Amino acid sequence: MNETWTLVVDSFWPLLWAGLRGTIPLALASFAIGLVLALGVALMRISGSRVLSAVARFYISVIRGTPLLVQLFVIFYGLPSLGIVVDPWPAAVLAFSLNVGGYAAEIIRAAILSVPKGQWEAGYTVGLSHGKQLTRIILPQAARVSVPPLSNTFISLVKDTSLASLILVTELFRQAQTIAAFTYEFMIIYLEAALIYWLFCLVLSAGQGALEKRLDRYVAH
């Protein structure tokens, strides 16, 4: 028991540091890029152009219809066959960003469509252009609606970053694999990694709740 406890204590900080240095930055970068992509795809979906809408629907269908692991492998292992070599970390960011873009696009689209049409009409009445209506009136209201599902998407992304260990990206789960291979204590180390992922998710869930309360207070005014 003493040896087990010593192993848990000694491995905790390396695992936590790998999460803070690898997992969280990877998730943040992928989510930020994915949100920008999702907004563009969502606007394409609700645009009057059939071509743009069709392209957006196709992209969403492909992303949601294929496993994230396959998408990651296509980028990291498949593109080199076409002469395009992507390093592990950028490949992971690209795969996760594309995945987030496909799922978040539908969330943002639904949030935009949930804003009453009267808000658009009010913007036209005061002479705002379509772009200004979108940025000043529609998107701020849609943001409040989309916070819970987008937060859940980010929390899921934090856990999904463990797949990056399969292409040798140094993050939390990759560090756990290294320690487990050295100590042969696979159960203990993997459970400890799971605990740290859980702690990350608890902190993020608390942040989500605080953000929702803040936005609720802002809307109430």
Side-chain angles (χ1 to χ4, degrees):
M1 290 297 296
N2 290 335
E3 292 180 357
T4 299
W5 177 248
T6 300
L7 174 62
V8 170
V9 173
D10 290 344
S11 60
F12 180 80
W13 293 111
L15 290 174
L16 180 62
W17 179 241
L20 294 174
R21 184 185 61 181
T23 298
I24 298 302
L26 178 59
L28 286 173
S30 302
F31 190 70
I33 297 173
L35 274 186
V36 174
L37 178 60
L39 177 59
V41 173
L43 294 178
M44 290 170 63
R45 282 278 283 120
I46 62 177
S47 69
S49 171
R50 291 185 178 181
V51 175
L52 291 179
S53 182
V55 171
R57 285 198 303 270
F58 176 76
Y59 164 72
I60 293 171
S61 177
V62 170
I63 293 298
R64 299 180 70 176
T66 56
L68 174 55
L69 181 59
V70 174
Q71 298 165 17
L72 182 63
F73 274 33
V74 165
I75 292 173
F76 186 71
Y77 293 111
L79 289 182
S81 65
L82 302 177
I84 304 173
V85 179
V86 186
D87 290 335
W89 204 85
V93 171
L94 179 58
F96 295 145
S97 299
L98 290 174
N99 190 267
V100 168
Y103 283 93
E106 287 296 271
I107 295 174
I108 295 175
R109 182 183 70 88
I112 292 175
L113 294 179
S114 70
V115 178
K117 293 183 178 180
Q119 298 295 313
W120 289 99
E121 296 172 356
Y124 281 120
T125 302
V126 298
L128 293 179
S129 64
H130 182 81
K132 289 184 177 180
Q133 290 178 57
L134 191 64
T135 56
R136 295 184 181 182
I137 299 176
I138 305 303
L139 288 182
Q141 296 182 63
R144 171 62 190 91
V145 177
S146 63
V147 164
L150 287 178
S151 298
N152 291 334
T153 299
F154 180 67
I155 292 174
S156 296
L157 176 61
V158 170
K159 295 179 291 183
D160 289 340
T161 56
S162 60
L163 294 175
S165 64
L166 297 175
I167 60 171
L168 308 181
V169 173
T170 302
E171 43 74 59
L172 171 55
F173 191 67
R174 178 65 180 174
Q175 184 67 27
Q177 289 177 312
T178 301
I179 297 175
F182 181 76
T183 62
Y184 294 98
E185 294 289 352
F186 295 96
M187 176 64 76
I188 294 173
I189 298 302
Y190 288 156
L191 285 177
E192 191 172 15
L195 173 63
I196 294 175
Y197 276 114
W198 181 43
L199 292 176
F200 283 163
C201 291
L202 287 177
V203 173
L204 292 172
S205 296
Q208 172 187 347
L211 179 59
E212 289 182 21
K213 288 182 180 180
R214 182 180 182 85
L215 290 175
D216 280 338
R217 186 166 60 248
Y218 174 79
V219 171
H221 288 298

